[in-house]
Amino acid sequence: MQKTTFFILSIILLLGCTEDRNIENNDVVIDPTSVLIHYWNFNTITGTQTLVNPDVTLLPLSGASISYPGSGAGYMDTFTPGYDSNLQNTEDAGSGLRARNPSDTRNLVMAVPTTGYKTIVVQFATAATSSGAQTQNYSYTVDGTNYSNEGLNTTTFNSTIDPIASLVSLDFTSITGVNNNPNFKIKISFTGSNASGTSGNNRFDNVTVKGIPVSTTPLYLLHYWNFNNLATGTLTNVNADISLLSTSTATIKYTGTGAGYMDQYTPGSALNLQNSDVAGLGLRFRNPSDTRNVIITAPTTGYKNVVMKFATARSSASGASIQNYSYSLDGVNFLTTGLATTTFNPNIDPSYDVITLDFSAIIGANNNPNFVVKINFGGTEASGISGNNRIDNVTFQANHI
């Protein structure tokens, strides 16, 4: 009897001394074909926050964000260390996001568009401080305005106390209105006697949104540039690293006049990497860039429903602040007709975004040996003598005809 009691006490003491322990509470099975649509790891932000964009997203212009609207003195800021639970892409537990009290007059709102995806599961690591709100309540909207918890597997959760974090899984797989929805949002409200307090907070880390692409037709990696084998010095022509057609016909050039040129940079970006590649090198387009164009020749012979993606950023405030996108069906004349994304304001390295140019509704892009994409640069910075724009991990995916 004494040995048994000693053993039990030893286990209690051992568990009580464990710091930063993450306890997972995940009974939701995620379809293995799901992909990571949005991901917040919060590792690159510090201080007070009003709107937090995802660290990784497949829908960069969709408005995905986390905010804390309402009234009162509550606000969002960061905490450290973050949690290990639900980490993606072999990342470290850096920092996390906390919603400070008073929290009963505010809601944490996750805008998580699912355009092009279905069978959605949202997960995040969470905990509270000892004086933080005891209960989190979950609801969602499919129209961006009206919230409900109908059909939701988990509608409320009593937070564990930091550093013990739990994994909350919100399963929307049976709620069809969430699928392929640009207006999908999740709301977290806070209750319990502590929620009205002037101290304490609830903490969140490693927020993921996963789903299955709506299209069931297999996508092939038609062309891919990872730039990891680029030569040093000025480059005039960069062939694709991988192509289902010919790496010599899939090319990137920086045509025009003036002193601008393209060369390699390091380190590259990990966004949109394929085939378990590493973030090695990337390609940069140096100013002055307003007199040049990036010409990406990408034949689609034998393929249809073409989607192009790439990671991009600018070097600093002196890099061109505007990228403009267009395409050509004859290799000569360029247009933007039918293209949902025609311009983008790149962030400053190392804050990369993944740009998606969807040509699937443009019939002329199918089965076209003359298909070309053009990027040109704007903003007052584009005429400067320093600064550059950077791209990495350029992919063209398509269905076989």
Side-chain angles (χ1 to χ4, degrees):
M1 179 67 180
Q2 289 180 339
K3 290 183 177 179
T4 301
T5 302
F6 177 77
F7 176 75
I8 292 172
L9 288 173
S10 297
I11 293 297
I12 292 172
L13 288 171
L14 178 62
L15 293 177
C17 294
T18 301
E19 296 183 355
D20 196 23
R21 185 160 52 95
N22 293 307
I23 296 179
E24 295 195 358
N25 179 25
N26 178 17
D27 56 359
V28 174
V29 178
I30 299 178
D31 191 294
T33 63
S34 292
V35 297
L36 186 62
I37 307 169
H38 307 296
Y39 174 41
W40 286 261
N41 60 33
F42 306 114
N43 289 351
T44 61
I45 60 173
T46 57
T48 302
Q49 304 291 318
T50 56
L51 187 76
V52 183
N53 296 320
D55 297 279
V56 176
T57 179
L58 296 178
L59 305 171
L61 303 179
S62 64
S65 65
I66 296 177
S67 59
Y68 193 37
S71 59
Y75 60 94
M76 292 190 303
D77 65 352
T78 56
F79 72 93
T80 185
Y83 302 128
D84 293 326
S85 183
N86 206 38
L87 278 172
Q88 308 291 308
N89 306 327
T90 66
E91 292 173 356
D92 296 323
S95 56
L97 186 73
R98 59 186 168 191
R100 289 184 175 267
N101 280 341
S103 56
D104 59 346
T105 58
R106 292 182 175 269
N107 299 302
L108 195 74
V109 176
M110 301 179 182
V112 284
T114 61
T115 309
Y117 297 89
K118 62 181 180 179
T119 317
I120 305 301
V121 175
V122 177
Q123 296 179 300
F124 51 88
T126 189
T129 58
S130 58
S131 55
Q134 298 97 326
T135 304
Q136 298 177 9
N137 306 290
Y138 311 124
S139 58
Y140 66 94
T141 177
V142 295
D143 61 9
T145 304
N146 301 293
Y147 285 85
S148 168
N149 59 20
E150 185 177 355
L152 194 56
N153 67 314
T154 300
T155 60
T156 186
F157 181 73
N158 295 323
S159 302
T160 50
I161 302 300
D162 181 83
I164 301 175
S166 299
L167 179 66
V168 171
S169 299
L170 302 181
D171 186 353
F172 297 94
T173 57
S174 62
I175 305 174
T176 57
V178 169
N179 297 337
N180 194 28
N181 189 333
N183 301 311
F184 177 50
K185 296 178 183 178
I186 296 168
K187 181 171 70 176
I188 304 176
S189 62
F190 303 93
T191 55
S193 57
N194 290 350
S196 59
T198 57
S199 65
N201 58 81
N202 271 231
R203 302 182 169 196
F204 301 87
D205 203 2
N206 306 320
V207 179
T208 59
V209 181
K210 294 183 179 181
I212 301 172
V214 171
S215 174
T216 58
T217 306
L219 276 176
Y220 294 89
L221 186 59
L222 181 57
H223 307 299
Y224 173 41
W225 288 260
N226 61 30
F227 304 118
N228 289 351
N229 297 310
L230 288 179
T232 58
T234 301
L235 303 167
T236 58
N237 184 77
V238 179
N239 294 334
D241 295 281
I242 295 174
S243 176
L244 295 179
L245 299 179
S246 171
T247 56
S248 63
T249 59
T251 63
I252 297 177
K253 297 181 180 180
Y254 191 34
T255 62
T257 60
Y261 61 93
M262 63 179 181
D263 63 353
Q264 60 155 266
Y265 75 91
T266 184
S269 171
L271 297 184
N272 204 39
L273 280 171
Q274 308 292 310
N275 306 327
S276 301
D277 289 340
V278 298
L281 303 176
L283 185 65
R284 63 185 166 193
F285 308 100
R286 292 182 175 267
N287 281 341
S289 56
D290 58 345
T291 57
R292 289 184 174 268
N293 299 305
V294 178
I295 300 296
I296 305 173
T297 302
T300 63
T301 309
Y303 292 85
K304 63 180 181 179
N305 302 327
V306 179
V307 176
M308 175 189 178
K309 295 181 182 181
F310 58 95
T312 190
R314 57 178 176 149
S315 59
S316 63
S318 59
S321 59
I322 301 173
Q323 296 180 5
N324 302 299
Y325 312 122
S326 57
Y327 66 93
S328 175
L329 303 179
D330 60 9
V332 177
N333 301 292
F334 288 86
L335 63 160
T336 60
T337 305
L339 193 57
T341 302
T342 59
T343 187
F344 180 70
N345 303 113
N347 288 313
I348 294 175
D349 186 327
S351 182
Y352 280 78
D353 290 287
V354 174
I355 301 301
T356 300
L357 302 182
D358 189 348
F359 301 97
S360 59
I362 302 172
I363 302 302
N366 298 337
N367 195 31
N368 189 334
N370 300 310
F371 184 61
V372 177
V373 176
K374 180 170 72 175
I375 305 174
N376 59 39
F377 302 97
T380 56
E381 311 86 352
S383 59
I385 58 174
S386 65
N388 58 81
N389 269 229
R390 304 175 171 194
I391 66 172
D392 202 2
N393 307 319
V394 179
T395 60
F396 283 82
Q397 294 178 305
N399 305 130
H400 200 282
I401 293 177

